Amino acid sequence: MKALRGNIVFLWITVLFWGHFVHAQEEEGVTFDMALSKEKLGINERLRVDFTMNKDGDNFTPPPFEGFNVVMGPSQSISSSWINGKRSFSKTYTYILMPTGRGDFTIGQATIEIGGQTYKTLPKEVEVTAAVDKPNDQKTVDDVADESLHLVAEVSKGNPYLNEAVTVVYKLYVSPNISVTNYRPLDNPTYNNFWSQDIPVTKHTAQNGTYEGKPYRFVVLKRVVLYPQRSGELEIEPLSLEIFVDVPTNKRDFFGGRIYTQTTKTVSAGKRTLNVKPLPEAGKPADFGGAVGDFDFAVTTSKKELNASESLQAIVEVSGKGNLKLFQLPEPELPSSLEVYDPEHEENIQTYSSGMEGKVSNNYTIVPSFRGKYPIPSISFSYFNPETEEYVTLNSEEINIEVLEGPMASSGNAVSGPSVNKQAVVATGKQFHFIKLDANLGPKKVSYFLGSRTFFLLLFIPLLLIPMAIFFFKKREAIASDVVGNKIKQANRLAKKYLSTAKKELGNKEAFYVALEKGLHNYLKAKLKIETSEFSKEKITEILTNKGVAVEDINAFIELLKNCEMARYSPFSNVQMQNDYDKASEVISKLDKQL
């Protein structure tokens, strides 16, 4: 009896305990939250996203993760514990994401069903910036690829002058342990504050090298030449790539070969900072126009002697190595009595790894009007040489242009200065006339378009064109619907084509008989409406006999076909080929009259 009472008391205690626990769970409520490992990350970093709930649920649906690739997940973790008689439960879905580009992105809402109700997380914003030098990533199965791929930006000069060429070479170093299958750019640098020129890389040839003292293979992916456009510290944005690699595993195939698994990795060249020096002010020429490099300068003319009203070309040219596209050429000082047209600018520049090389020129067309001598004074061109760190000024030679024949200037002497541009006034004796006193005025004729002949003509022309258009389209439809007729026309054209080809190939046995045979086939295809697959001598004989063609004409046609076949194996003379061509023309003419 005492044992029964004890069991009853224990049962009541258990019921009260579970009732209290269930009531506590109901009071606790349901939570479903999303947590991000970071809200701002570089394009070469990974983002961890956790979706956590305090009660188990069903039909979990993640957000679409726009702007990211899922490199791992979803992985689940569940924890359950009792603390002071109270049960705590937690279930988490985890994703590891890799950004696909820079910008502001939104991780949308995830949904799950708990207790018959649908719960959603709140969306969160994520900012993806340029690649960081030391990404703080959680290690995953891609660690082998992370340690075996390195994108390096090699800069030719870290402390250049303003407008001095700087070459950036992007090299991808790959460990011999893995294999790269493909790549695609994720974030191309914009090169702000630089004038940039890409140098195409035609072949991606792997070369042997070292990276941090270890043997690597490297491939040059990109070359670019930069010309800084302002002084101070300028940043070169990193190049980011998505690399597809095959990583070896510990598994072997049936033949003992190592099995590889493919994965992707985002690599970045890292930011580079250039300390750009301004051009020195000491010794800067007054006519300096921003040219930096090593140049030659010349002013030349196509003629030094000519007649009035003839033209000559004056060319101002700078050649050499430097920022050829980033400065203006000096202008020559020409006499005002010469007619000078706007110059034609010409460039012949190639961009190499060391910078731009070539020449730029302005071509002036000059036309003298009077006889005389015209000097083209010397002009100067200044540039800064970054190798010697000095300014250089070059002067052109003075050029004298002599106009041999033509009218004289007003003074009767040769024009030799830039200010002479005067002409004599010739008196005619009748420079002025009396004002007419009788005005012969008449009404002004005004014509109106509305109601005119042109108005009605333009009004009715479209109405006249409608029946013409209907007739034209019906004609086209009739022609298009005549499939058999179109095939016959096409076959006739081909027959004429091959017979004409056979005529051209007289003397060339194989080509002649091939063209002749094709011409005969296409002729019969048009006349008899049969396909090439039905083209046998027996079939041709049967059809031509049924059509009532004379026996001698049928035999002549078949004889021609036999000659075409025999020509492949037997020698035929030019006389025989000419006879066969004439016979083919005669047979076709006779068949035309009977078919």
Side-chain angles (χ1 to χ4, degrees):
M1 190 70 181
K2 290 182 180 180
L4 178 61
R5 289 179 180 176
N7 290 335
I8 293 174
V9 171
F10 176 78
L11 179 62
W12 275 106
I13 292 174
T14 303
V15 170
L16 290 174
F17 174 78
W18 277 107
H20 176 72
F21 170 73
V22 171
H23 179 69
Q25 285 284 76
E26 292 176 352
E27 290 181 350
E28 183 182 7
V30 177
T31 60
F32 180 45
D33 299 314
M34 174 175 59
L36 305 179
S37 61
K38 56 183 74 176
E39 296 180 354
K40 182 177 181 180
L41 69 156
I43 195 173
N44 60 335
E45 294 185 289
R46 290 186 175 88
L47 175 68
R48 178 186 175 119
V49 185
D50 294 326
F51 300 96
T52 305
M53 62 208 75
N54 66 342
K55 290 186 179 181
D56 200 2
D58 299 315
N59 299 326
F60 171 73
T61 303
F65 298 124
E66 295 180 356
F68 296 85
N69 287 329
V70 178
V71 297
M72 190 179 71
S75 60
Q76 297 184 32
S77 61
I78 299 176
S79 65
S80 180
S81 62
W82 289 86
I83 301 176
N84 297 327
K86 185 177 180 181
R87 180 176 181 264
S88 65
F89 174 86
S90 176
K91 182 178 181 180
T92 303
Y93 290 93
T94 301
Y95 290 84
I96 303 297
L97 309 179
M98 177 66 74
T100 59
R102 290 195 300 178
D104 295 326
F105 301 94
T106 300
I107 305 296
Q109 293 179 322
T111 61
I112 196 169
E113 293 180 6
I114 301 176
Q117 295 186 5
T118 301
Y119 294 86
K120 299 180 179 180
T121 61
L122 295 175
K124 291 191 176 183
E125 302 292 330
V126 178
E127 180 184 0
V128 179
T129 64
V132 297
D133 292 334
K134 296 181 179 180
N136 184 17
D137 286 338
Q138 178 178 336
K139 287 190 176 182
T140 65
V141 293
D142 298 328
D143 288 341
V144 175
D146 291 343
E147 297 171 356
S148 303
L149 285 174
H150 307 280
L151 184 62
V152 177
E154 296 183 355
V155 180
S156 62
K157 187 173 292 187
N159 191 23
Y161 278 102
L162 183 70
N163 263 315
E164 183 182 1
V166 177
T167 305
V168 183
V169 180
Y170 295 92
K171 295 181 179 180
L172 178 66
Y173 284 86
V174 183
S175 171
N177 300 328
I178 64 172
S179 176
V180 174
T181 58
N182 202 356
Y183 75 95
R184 69 179 184 92
L186 290 178
D187 189 17
N188 283 313
T190 57
Y191 303 118
N192 295 325
N193 300 313
F194 293 94
W195 185 94
S196 62
Q197 176 70 52
D198 281 334
I199 303 174
V201 179
T202 56
K203 293 183 179 180
H204 297 96
T205 305
Q207 304 176 48
N208 294 325
T210 58
Y211 182 81
E212 294 183 350
K214 298 179 181 179
Y216 271 78
R217 294 167 297 158
F218 71 89
V219 176
V220 176
L221 298 180
K222 181 182 177 70
R223 288 191 182 96
V224 63
V225 175
L226 306 178
Y227 287 87
Q229 298 300 292
R230 69 176 182 86
S231 58
E233 290 188 354
L234 301 183
E235 284 189 351
I236 301 176
E237 294 183 350
L239 170 68
S240 297
L241 304 174
E242 182 180 23
I243 309 294
F244 300 86
V245 296
D246 287 338
V247 181
T249 64
N250 294 326
K251 299 179 180 180
R252 301 278 179 172
D253 58 18
F254 179 79
F255 300 100
R258 188 180 294 274
I259 297 177
Y260 285 77
T261 181
Q262 188 177 77
T263 185
T264 61
K265 182 183 184 301
T266 300
V267 294
S268 173
K271 289 184 179 180
R272 300 298 299 268
T273 301
L274 300 183
N275 185 16
V276 181
K277 298 180 291 187
L279 300 179
E281 293 294 330
K284 180 183 292 187
D287 63 345
F288 178 71
V292 177
D294 189 7
F295 304 105
D296 292 323
F297 174 65
V299 177
T300 58
T301 58
S302 60
K303 303 176 184 177
K304 293 187 178 180
E305 294 181 353
L306 72 164
N307 297 326
S309 299
E310 293 181 355
S311 65
L312 63 90
Q313 309 296 319
I315 302 174
V316 180
E317 181 180 279
V318 173
S319 60
K321 177 181 176 181
N323 60 338
L324 288 164
K325 295 184 178 181
L326 304 177
F327 61 82
Q328 291 185 347
L329 295 172
E331 298 182 359
E333 296 180 3
L334 300 173
S336 59
S337 55
L338 295 176
E339 186 176 359
V340 183
Y341 294 89
D342 291 337
E344 296 181 6
H345 186 73
E346 296 182 0
E347 295 182 355
N348 184 11
I349 302 172
Q350 291 79 35
T351 304
Y352 303 102
S353 298
S354 57
M356 288 185 282
E357 296 183 20
K359 63 181 179 179
V360 292
S361 62
N362 281 341
N363 192 338
Y364 295 85
T365 299
I366 302 173
V367 181
S369 300
F370 301 102
R371 185 171 51 181
K373 294 183 178 180
Y374 300 87
I376 299 179
S378 172
I379 58 175
S380 61
F381 169 72
S382 299
Y383 66 90
F384 178 76
N385 190 330
E387 299 295 332
T388 61
E389 299 185 345
E390 294 179 350
Y391 289 96
V392 179
T393 299
L394 303 176
N395 295 294
S396 66
E397 295 182 356
E398 181 177 318
I399 302 175
N400 291 309
I401 305 300
E402 184 175 1
V403 181
L404 301 176
E405 297 182 4
M408 296 292 295
S410 60
S411 61
N413 299 323
V415 181
S416 59
S419 61
V420 179
N421 192 20
K422 298 180 181 179
Q423 302 182 24
V425 178
V426 181
T428 63
K430 294 183 179 181
Q431 291 90 347
F432 302 99
H433 296 273
F434 292 103
I435 299 175
K436 291 185 178 182
L437 300 178
D438 296 329
N440 187 15
L441 302 178
K444 184 178 180 181
K445 295 182 179 179
V446 180
S447 60
Y448 296 96
F449 174 74
L450 188 63
S452 65
R453 183 180 300 175
T454 305
F455 170 78
F456 288 107
L457 186 63
L458 296 176
L459 180 64
F460 289 108
I461 281 178
L463 299 178
L464 296 175
L465 292 177
I466 291 174
M468 296 176 63
I470 294 173
F471 174 78
F472 174 75
F473 284 115
K474 285 187 176 180
K475 189 69 175 177
R476 289 191 61 185
E477 289 178 358
I479 294 173
S481 61
D482 187 9
V483 179
V484 176
N486 290 334
K487 288 185 177 180
I488 293 174
K489 291 178 182 178
Q490 179 67 18
N492 277 326
R493 286 195 295 267
L494 289 173
K496 293 178 181 178
K497 171 185 174 182
Y498 286 116
L499 283 179
S500 62
T501 303
K503 187 176 182 179
K504 294 177 183 178
E505 297 294 341
L506 281 170
N508 186 357
K509 183 190 70 172
E510 293 184 3
F512 169 77
Y513 281 104
V514 169
L516 182 61
E517 186 178 15
K518 288 183 179 179
L520 295 173
H521 282 198
N522 282 284
Y523 171 76
L524 283 186
K525 183 178 179 181
K527 287 294 182 181
L528 305 180
K529 302 178 184 178
I530 62 176
E531 299 297 330
T532 306
S533 59
E534 305 171 0
F535 231 151
S536 65
K537 298 183 189 66
E538 294 76 11
K539 186 70 174 180
I540 293 171
T541 303
E542 179 184 351
I543 294 176
L544 291 179
T545 302
N546 294 335
K547 292 287 185 180
V549 179
V551 176
E552 60 272 12
D553 295 332
I554 297 175
N555 293 335
F557 193 88
I558 298 300
E559 186 67 24
L560 282 173
L561 293 178
K562 290 181 179 179
N563 287 348
C564 292
E565 294 178 355
M566 292 175 60
R568 302 172 187 171
Y569 312 104
S570 304
F572 274 66
S573 64
N574 292 343
V575 176
Q576 180 65 36
M577 283 187 278
Q578 182 65 49
N579 291 337
D580 286 341
Y581 178 80
D582 295 338
K583 188 175 180 181
S585 301
E586 182 182 354
V587 169
I588 289 176
S589 177
K590 290 181 179 180
L591 290 180
D592 272 334
K593 297 175 183 178
Q594 302 177 58
L595 294 177

